[in-house]
Amino acid sequence: MDSFIIAAGMLCLLTAPAYGDRGTGKARSCSDIRHFYSGKGFPLDDVPQSEISGEHLRICPQGYTCCTSDMEEKLATLSRREMEGLLKEAGRGLHTSLSGQYKAFDGYLLELLNHSEVALQETFAPSMGALYSQNALVFSDLYMELRRYCRTSNVNLEEALNDFWARLLEKLFYQANKQYIIGEDYLECVSKQMETLRPFGDAPREFKLKVTRAFVAVRSFIQGLLVSGDVVRRVSQVQLSLECMRAIMRMTYCPHCRGMASARPCANYCSNVMKGCLANQADLNTEWRHLADTMAQVAGRLDGPAGVDLVILSLPNRIAEAISAMMENIETVNSKVFQACGSPREGATSTTAQEEVSKGGKIIVEDRVGPSTGKLEQMVSDVSRRLKDMQPYWVSLPSVLCSDRVATGAGAEDRCWNGMNRARYLPEVIGDGLASQINNPEVEIDITKPDMTIRQQIMQLKIMTHRLKNALNGNDVDFVDASDDASGSGSGICADDVCPPSPRLVAPITDPPTVYAHRPENKRVIKGSAGQNLPCVLSSLLSLATLLLLRR
């Protein structure tokens, strides 16, 4: 028994590092950290003049230190605030880029519609005279509905186009038959004969096909830019957890407390810290990539012969051709209408109105389309490249945030800060995502409790991708009003008929994290410091002295 006590005492003496990790009994000055600490805006009164024992520390290694409990707490809060600032700054760059693309496409779309409407007005007004001026509202309403469709959720494009042709038929029929007394009920009967009359020939069907295909694609694409940018903004504002704050503090400011201000984190150590802190964000990766891929496919539909710019700029020509077709066949149209709806009573007006409409002949619209300016092509190219670049965003964040803070150069792996001291970092780098963090040695995470804000954004990405795929197939989709403030409270963009069911989160295995047998110097339960080994030395010496006294 005596030999065991003596051996234990000698073992503690041999394994304990020199006093204060310095190899000298003199306490070091805290002048360096006093300068650093005050530079962060904290009072110097917090900082001791020289090193003190670190048993009070709860985050940093408990060796001799220049940090008090209050300093540790303040620096930990600062480290989280700084890291959250970096995350917001990184997200702000991507959000700004996506918002800029959204505004560019939205602005260009409105520019095209305005240009097209002006072209129609400048051509129809002199060509059609009173026939246009008295019915100009029909045309302006069409363009207004197209603008609203691109920005709101309460416009059914197919219905809007059908309504345009029905109203145009009513107005033209009324103008061509002013010699008759025609009331609202009669005009309603006229519009109901659209399918059988086919007064405009194939123009309405072709018009609807081209307009719908182009506008569904461009609206879904613009909404995709808006939603993806909003997801970035919301996720970038998610607060870091308390466990993450502790891990970042240990990596960032604990070296200062240990008198190792120049020590920079080991590369793999920083990766594990940031992968743990951003585990929930990394789970966006799969749906984020799906959205980017689908948006790139939709972008390919915006340009070319059936591109949205050519479709919009050709609207006046398509409408003019339809009106000319009806005017050329007004007698046949009248005959079919009178047969279906009955012969209207004659009024006091002469027949000159019909004659005037008929002699107007074919309306010639100046070709305003012209050669492509390449603007849309360049915009599509730019956004496609941006979509490709942003695909790995969420899983690349840890490496981006670590890139300018880790130790580099020759011998860096052996002299970097590993969370406990200047030494090699032994654990392997953990995978991405919440489920992989069960074995993360740096950040304690309950993988059964995902961040709900981020899960909601994952669902928004799924919904948006679903709608984009519908648009690729030519199916119209419903959206939230894009004219609302995109930075608002985030009222859902989920329509009842297209929302996928909420995912059922399967709780992962909750066994305790695996202990790395090969990493004693980095384990939190093993603090290789003088402050911890001194009690071992003292207790062993006391035991030895007691034994010797008893032997007397």
Side-chain angles (χ1 to χ4, degrees):
M1 183 66 178
D2 294 348
S3 60
F4 175 77
I5 295 175
I6 294 172
M10 293 302 294
L11 179 62
C12 282
L13 286 170
L14 290 172
T15 56
Y19 179 81
D21 292 341
R22 299 184 301 274
T24 175
K26 185 178 180 181
R28 281 188 303 193
S29 168
C30 291
S31 57
D32 287 345
I33 196 170
R34 288 174 67 84
H35 178 73
F36 162 79
Y37 192 73
S38 62
K40 293 293 184 179
F42 298 121
L44 278 175
D45 293 344
D46 291 351
V47 190
Q49 293 292 336
S50 58
E51 285 183 330
I52 59 176
S53 182
E55 288 88 351
H56 57 278
L57 298 178
R58 294 294 176 266
I59 301 175
C60 295
Q62 294 182 333
Y64 276 88
T65 182
C66 283
C67 288
T68 63
S69 295
D70 190 45
M71 291 173 63
E72 185 182 46
E73 182 179 345
K74 288 179 179 177
L75 288 173
T77 301
L78 174 65
S79 68
R80 176 162 69 175
R81 188 165 64 247
E82 289 176 339
M83 185 56 66
E84 288 177 343
L86 290 175
L87 286 171
K88 288 180 182 178
E89 186 61 31
R92 188 177 296 115
L94 181 54
H95 176 259
T96 300
S97 176
L98 291 169
S99 295
Q101 298 281 5
Y102 162 76
K103 291 177 182 177
F105 273 92
D106 184 61
Y108 184 60
L109 186 61
L110 294 180
E111 179 185 327
L112 289 172
L113 286 168
N114 291 339
H115 187 73
S116 177
E117 185 173 16
V118 169
L120 184 145
Q121 292 169 351
E122 290 178 350
T123 302
F124 282 27
S127 299
M128 298 172 60
L131 185 62
Y132 172 75
S133 60
Q134 294 176 15
N135 301 293
L137 188 61
V138 177
F139 304 102
S140 62
D141 282 350
L142 169 65
Y143 282 93
M144 181 183 69
E145 287 297 281
L146 292 176
R147 292 187 187 94
R148 288 183 60 228
Y149 172 78
C150 292
R151 291 190 161 195
T152 66
S153 60
N154 57 351
V155 176
N156 184 302
L157 183 58
E158 185 173 344
E159 289 182 2
L161 296 178
N162 289 339
D163 184 61
F164 164 72
W165 291 112
R167 289 179 64 197
L168 183 60
L169 172 60
E170 292 178 7
K171 296 294 185 181
L172 293 178
F173 181 84
Y174 179 79
Q175 292 288 341
N177 293 280
K178 282 192 173 180
Q179 70 274 26
Y180 298 109
I181 299 175
I182 299 175
E184 292 295 328
D185 291 342
Y186 195 90
L187 288 177
E188 184 177 351
C189 177
V190 173
S191 63
K192 288 180 179 179
Q193 309 307 312
M194 174 71 77
E195 291 297 324
T196 55
L197 283 174
R198 299 185 71 245
F200 303 112
D202 290 332
R205 184 184 63 82
E206 295 176 357
F207 186 92
K208 181 166 64 176
L209 180 64
K210 292 181 179 179
V211 169
T212 300
R213 184 176 298 167
F215 273 78
V216 166
V218 73
R219 183 175 78 147
S220 64
F221 183 78
I222 290 175
Q223 286 285 336
L225 291 171
L226 187 65
V227 168
S228 57
D230 195 52
V231 167
V232 173
R233 180 185 63 82
R234 293 177 188 277
V235 174
S236 297
Q237 293 175 348
V238 172
Q239 289 188 336
L240 299 175
S241 66
L242 179 63
E243 293 77 11
C244 174
M245 178 186 73
R246 295 169 63 86
I248 294 176
M249 166 62 188
R250 189 179 301 116
M251 179 178 70
T252 307
Y253 291 132
C254 285
H256 291 271
C257 294
R258 293 293 304 275
M260 303 177 187
S262 63
R264 309 194 77 180
C266 302
N268 287 354
Y269 170 47
C270 184
S271 292
N272 278 343
V273 170
M274 298 316 304
K275 281 176 179 281
C277 287
L278 303 176
N280 282 282
Q281 286 84 338
D283 282 345
L284 286 157
N285 180 58
T286 299
E287 294 305 326
W288 183 257
R289 285 179 176 274
H290 287 167
L291 177 65
D293 283 340
T294 312
M295 286 183 65
Q297 294 178 50
V298 175
R301 300 279 184 90
L302 303 182
D303 198 13
V308 65
D309 54 348
L310 297 181
V311 169
I312 292 176
L313 294 178
S314 65
L315 292 180
N317 271 313
R318 302 288 81 79
I319 295 172
E321 290 171 359
I323 293 175
S324 295
M326 178 175 172
M327 293 301 98
E328 291 173 0
N329 297 285
I330 190 65
E331 295 292 346
T332 303
V333 170
N334 280 351
S335 176
K336 291 182 178 180
V337 169
F338 295 162
Q339 185 177 358
C341 301
S343 298
R345 291 186 297 113
E346 292 190 7
T349 307
S350 67
T351 61
T352 55
Q354 179 176 341
E355 293 172 355
E356 183 179 343
V357 170
S358 299
K359 73 180 181 181
K362 188 173 182 179
I363 305 169
I364 305 299
V365 179
E366 181 184 350
D367 184 8
R368 300 296 185 96
V369 177
S372 174
T373 61
K375 184 175 181 179
L376 181 61
E377 182 181 1
Q378 184 60 49
M379 290 171 62
V380 170
S381 176
D382 290 344
V383 77
S384 297
R385 183 169 57 254
R386 190 70 184 105
L387 290 170
K388 183 178 180 180
D389 292 342
M390 79 179 194
Q391 282 191 337
Y393 177 76
W394 298 110
V395 292
S396 66
L397 267 179
S399 60
V400 170
L401 295 172
C402 286
S403 60
D404 60 350
R405 65 172 59 218
V406 299
T408 57
E413 292 183 0
D414 296 319
R415 296 293 297 163
C416 54
W417 175 255
N418 65 7
M420 298 299 296
N421 214 326
R422 281 182 181 268
R424 179 178 289 269
Y425 184 76
L426 299 180
E428 297 179 353
V429 176
I430 297 299
D432 299 309
L434 188 61
S436 299
Q437 305 311 308
I438 192 170
N439 289 326
N440 193 319
E442 307 306 333
V443 188
E444 296 180 6
I445 301 177
D446 185 351
I447 64 174
T448 67
K449 295 180 180 179
D451 184 278
M452 296 314 298
T453 297
I454 292 178
R455 296 296 142 172
Q456 290 170 358
Q457 298 311 305
I458 291 175
M459 181 57 64
Q460 299 291 21
L461 295 175
K462 288 182 178 180
I463 294 168
M464 189 66 241
T465 301
H466 177 74
R467 288 170 170 168
L468 284 162
K469 289 179 177 178
N470 274 343
L472 279 173
N473 295 325
N475 299 325
D476 204 354
V477 287
D478 294 326
F479 290 108
V480 67
D481 190 342
S483 62
D484 291 343
D485 181 11
S487 61
S489 60
S491 56
I493 61 168
C494 179
D496 293 338
D497 57 335
V498 294
C499 264
S502 299
R504 183 172 63 89
L505 299 179
V506 179
I509 300 171
T510 57
D511 293 335
T514 302
V515 176
Y516 284 87
H518 57 284
R519 191 203 171 199
E521 69 274 28
N522 289 323
K523 294 302 291 182
R524 300 293 167 247
V525 296
I526 301 176
K527 311 289 184 180
S529 60
Q532 286 180 290
N533 284 285
L534 282 175
C536 177
V537 174
L538 293 174
S539 61
S540 299
L541 290 176
L542 286 172
S543 299
L544 182 60
T546 302
L547 178 63
L548 294 174
L549 288 173
L550 289 174
R551 284 188 169 182
R552 287 184 177 184

